[in-house]
Amino acid sequence: MTPMTQVKHVKHVKHVNHFRHQLRRGAVALALAATLPLPLAGAALAATLPLPLAGAALAAPHAAQAAPAVAPAPPAATTLHLPRPTGPYAIGRDTLHLTDPQRRDPWVPSAGARELMASLYYPARPGTGHHRAPYMNTEEAQLFLRGIHRADVLPAETLAATRTHARTDARPAPGRHPLVVLSPGFSLNRATLSLLSEELASHGYVVALLDHAYESFGTAFPGGRTLTCVACDTVEKAPKDVRKRLMAKVATGRAADIRFVLDALTRTDRHGKHGLRGTHPAWRHSAMIDTRRIGVAGHSIGGNSAAAAMAADPRIRAGVNMDGTFFAPVPHGGLDGRPFLMLGALNGHSPHDEDTSWLRDWRRLDGWKRWLTVRDAGHFSFIDIPVLGAQLGVTDPTAPLPGKRSGEITRDYVTAFFDRHLRGLPRPLLDGPSAANPEVLFQNP
């Protein structure tokens, strides 16, 4: 083995060990399930494959795993609910099916054009709207729970019936509002970012929360179709040295999805010119969107996708990565001075942790930036799962940050970031550590 080969081998081993460590951190963090199987074989996807892949997990031998602590089955009358949003606006929600005729699906080319599902949250007039918007449907919940091997722990009907605050067919609030596009973690249904979506909408943002076809355990599409995670199977079957490249493909593919969504919602191109892809926007309330104020955020691979979308599209003014490895790197030249927030778990995304992509890309960011880490957090502390799990009395012992605090920290810091950079509002929360949030550490390597 040559010296250069030895160096590459050592770096690969360190990277694999990091991913194994990250999955161990998150193994129990799926709070609805109490525990998850320990490291995936190869472990190279642990940062972005927070759940066992569809079907058989990439699991290490069961004999090597710690015995899981199984959560008690919830009472039949359990009702899960999202926390009440803190903003002044009521919330409306629409659902869109979007198809990009310019691109074939990257995972199932025979399916034809790339498809997306989008939940559009928006500030609404109080007292308007019909029914509460559903969290997810029962089949999506069943596939999600099967994917994490906990269909016997929580009834799918209970998860699907999680109480939301958004209303269907609500009348939009007057005025023009910033747009934030959200992308979930790999294998996760978009519903797992509902808490953040409702919070942002309550503060006056339009939010496009996306599901990317064939990249979740199960997502309902029109025509009675439910698409499952073909991408998960593809990554699972790939040789270890190919998996990182496939995850970079996920990030750049989602970046293209995000750019298409901007086109569809605003009918502008990347230079802000109108008239792209038809004469009418895809959403009936698109006039609400202020096309000069667009942000993007995501969890896990969705966070990497946010950075990739910013690199490709100058319409996006600000972005957030929540605990995602940068498989697709930030360009050497940065993001043209645009602001970016890195929000992650202290145990896994500190400056000297084994995921070196954060330190590498922190140095490349050339505008306003913050690197925040959260003590006692896990990979899933930035989505709905720990919040809902806490309502079932379930806490992840490897990430003991209470579910309620997980939701509050994510909600407060992400909203403050977009308030500052899309609305020009002073937000001292982002200036440094605060006594009210002792779990949040400001990194500045």
Side-chain angles (χ1 to χ4, degrees):
M1 185 180 289
T2 66
M4 182 60 68
T5 302
Q6 288 176 332
V7 168
K8 290 181 178 178
H9 176 71
V10 168
K11 287 182 177 179
H12 173 73
V13 170
K14 288 182 68 179
H15 204 54
V16 166
N17 286 341
H18 158 70
F19 289 137
R20 284 186 174 134
H21 169 69
Q22 189 170 32
L23 189 60
R24 283 196 292 271
R25 282 195 299 117
V28 195
L30 225 298
L32 291 173
T35 61
L36 291 177
L38 290 179
L40 299 178
L45 303 179
T48 53
L49 301 187
L51 311 172
L53 295 179
L58 300 171
H62 291 290
Q65 299 180 14
V70 178
T78 296
T79 300
L80 301 174
H81 61 274
L82 296 179
R84 182 174 296 279
T86 66
Y89 286 98
I91 306 163
R93 200 186 85 184
D94 284 343
T95 302
L96 292 183
H97 172 229
L98 299 171
T99 302
D100 184 355
Q102 306 300 316
R103 294 185 297 141
R104 297 186 74 81
D105 188 89
W107 309 110
V108 185
S110 61
R114 178 65 162 168
E115 294 183 85
L116 303 167
M117 293 302 298
S119 294
L120 271 293
Y121 294 81
Y122 56 95
R125 295 178 185 269
T128 66
H130 296 153
H131 307 289
R132 288 185 185 271
Y135 189 68
M136 60 173 67
N137 72 30
T138 302
E139 185 179 11
E140 290 173 319
Q142 286 173 338
L143 290 167
F144 177 81
L145 292 167
R146 283 181 201 161
I148 64 174
H149 304 291
R150 286 299 179 267
D152 57 340
V153 173
L154 180 70
E157 293 79 6
T158 300
L159 177 59
T162 297
R163 187 177 177 88
T164 67
H165 300 278
R167 295 274 179 174
T168 60
D169 294 317
R171 293 172 58 199
R176 292 169 65 81
H177 302 267
L179 169 67
V180 175
V181 182
L182 297 181
S183 179
F186 196 54
S187 80
L188 296 175
N189 187 285
R190 69 187 186 278
T192 57
L193 286 173
S194 295
L195 184 160
L196 180 58
S197 298
E198 290 197 341
E199 179 68 15
L200 287 168
S202 80
H203 283 272
Y205 294 86
V206 175
V207 178
L209 174 57
L210 306 183
D211 250 325
H212 309 264
Y214 301 108
E215 294 180 18
S216 79
F217 284 132
T219 297
F221 278 76
R225 298 174 297 146
T226 298
L227 305 186
T228 56
C229 200
V230 175
C232 297
D233 296 337
T234 301
V235 174
E236 175 184 351
K237 294 172 183 175
K240 293 179 183 178
D241 60 346
V242 175
R243 291 176 185 164
K244 285 175 62 180
R245 293 201 298 273
L246 284 174
M247 295 313 298
K249 174 183 174 180
V250 174
T252 55
R254 289 191 179 196
D257 291 342
I258 291 167
R259 296 177 64 196
F260 165 68
V261 168
L262 297 184
D263 295 347
L265 294 181
T266 67
R267 294 304 184 200
T268 62
D269 64 14
R270 59 177 296 180
H271 303 293
K273 295 180 180 180
H274 289 272
L276 187 69
R277 302 185 193 230
T279 57
H280 299 290
W283 183 43
R284 58 179 174 164
H285 300 314
S286 283
M288 295 183 70
I289 297 172
D290 183 345
T291 58
R292 301 165 301 173
R293 296 184 291 167
I294 296 174
V296 63
H299 170 245
S300 196
I301 197 65
N304 186 188
S305 305
M310 284 188 71
D313 199 319
R315 289 175 295 182
I316 303 171
R317 287 184 49 185
V320 181
N321 178 359
M322 296 182 287
D323 213 58
T325 295
F326 290 97
F327 285 102
V330 169
H332 286 282
L335 297 175
D336 299 321
R338 288 168 291 169
F340 200 84
L341 169 65
M342 295 160 48
L343 175 64
L346 175 64
N347 186 9
H349 278 126
S350 294
H352 302 294
D353 273 319
E354 292 178 6
D355 183 357
T356 57
S357 73
W358 274 43
L359 184 59
R360 177 199 67 205
D361 288 6
W362 169 258
R363 290 169 174 164
R364 295 180 181 182
L365 294 172
D366 58 340
W368 185 103
K369 58 185 178 180
R370 292 291 184 273
W371 180 343
L372 308 183
T373 53
V374 184
R375 187 182 288 112
D376 292 336
H379 188 55
F380 312 110
S381 296
F382 307 95
I383 60 177
D384 296 0
I385 299 304
V387 178
L388 300 180
Q391 296 170 27
L392 299 171
V394 177
T395 301
D396 174 6
T398 69
L401 182 69
K404 183 173 182 291
R405 283 297 292 149
S406 295
E408 290 169 349
I409 289 169
T410 303
R411 172 194 77 191
D412 293 349
Y413 281 89
V414 174
T415 302
F417 171 80
F418 286 124
D419 279 352
R420 181 166 185 162
H421 296 291
L422 297 184
R423 302 176 71 189
L425 300 175
R427 289 294 182 257
L429 185 66
L430 299 170
D431 294 340
S434 67
N437 297 284
E439 309 95 334
V440 180
L441 307 178
F442 282 63
Q443 307 290 346
N444 191 20

